[in-house]
């Protein structure tokens, strides 16, 4: 999957936080520690370094949701993180994103903390981010 294809899926999924552009995706993947996992209608970008993995973003095309793509990508992320030597994983998710929160909980992520007013909507409202962690 190309950076442009990933950016198109990301734009269909996100308003807050703002969607990643193809340039954002390319710059992130240029890091020595970053990796991408993909299926035809979804992708996940993560990184693993110094025993810790971060799930940076996960996007599944709206028309392909509820087919297990997100769950498979998160499971693959956890496996890849362990293969890269990570002992734990973390992510940030909008407190308002209930489907994502349910998915991450089902994969073993637990609430570690909250970043108040972390995200800003296009209208200027502020949303909390939840920090979730998972032992590998």
């Amino acid at each position: 999957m190309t950076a442009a294809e990933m950016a198109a899926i990301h734009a269909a999924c996100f308003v807050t936080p703002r969607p990643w552009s193809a340039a954002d995706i390319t710059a992130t993947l240029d890091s020595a520690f970053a990796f991408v996992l993909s299926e035809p209608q979804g992708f996940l970008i993560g990184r693993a370094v110094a025993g810790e993995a971060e799930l940076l973003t996960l996007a599944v095309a709206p028309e392909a949701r509820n087919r297990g793509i997100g769950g498979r990508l998160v499971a693959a992320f956890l496996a890849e993180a362990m293969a890269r030597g990570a002992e734990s994983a973390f992510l940030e998710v909008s407190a308002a994103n209930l489907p994502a929160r349910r998915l991450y909980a089902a994969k073993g992520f637990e609430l570690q903390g909250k970043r108040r007013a972390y995200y800003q909507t296009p209208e200027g409202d502020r949303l909390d981010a939840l920090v979730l962690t998972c032992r590998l």
Side-chain angles (χ1 to χ4, degrees):
M1 182 177 297
T2 68
E5 291 167 328
M6 288 187 274
I9 291 172
H10 211 265
C13 295
F14 291 97
V15 173
T16 304
R18 74 165 180 77
W20 289 23
S21 68
D24 294 331
I25 290 167
T26 298
T28 300
L29 293 176
D30 281 345
S31 163
F33 304 108
F35 58 91
V36 65
L37 304 165
S38 65
E39 292 205 10
Q41 294 183 292
F43 72 95
L44 181 152
I45 296 176
R47 68 176 154 215
V49 61
E52 186 174 62
E54 181 179 10
L55 193 160
L56 295 167
T57 194
L58 167 65
V60 175
E63 66 275 9
R65 291 184 182 156
N66 299 312
R67 296 183 193 164
I69 295 170
R72 288 191 301 273
L73 288 169
V74 174
F77 163 76
L78 296 172
E80 181 66 20
M82 286 189 292
R84 290 173 177 249
E87 298 170 359
S88 64
F90 75 98
L91 60 88
E92 296 162 348
V93 63
S94 169
N97 190 341
L98 297 178
R101 290 174 54 193
R102 283 192 292 271
L103 169 64
Y104 298 136
K107 295 299 179 186
F109 283 87
E110 298 178 341
L111 180 64
Q112 183 67 35
K114 182 186 291 189
R115 295 183 178 164
R116 297 196 185 282
Y118 186 74
Y119 299 118
Q120 183 171 342
T121 69
E123 299 78 29
D125 297 324
R126 304 298 291 194
L127 302 174
D128 293 341
L130 303 179
V131 178
L132 307 181
T133 60
C134 180
R135 297 292 308 158
L136 303 177

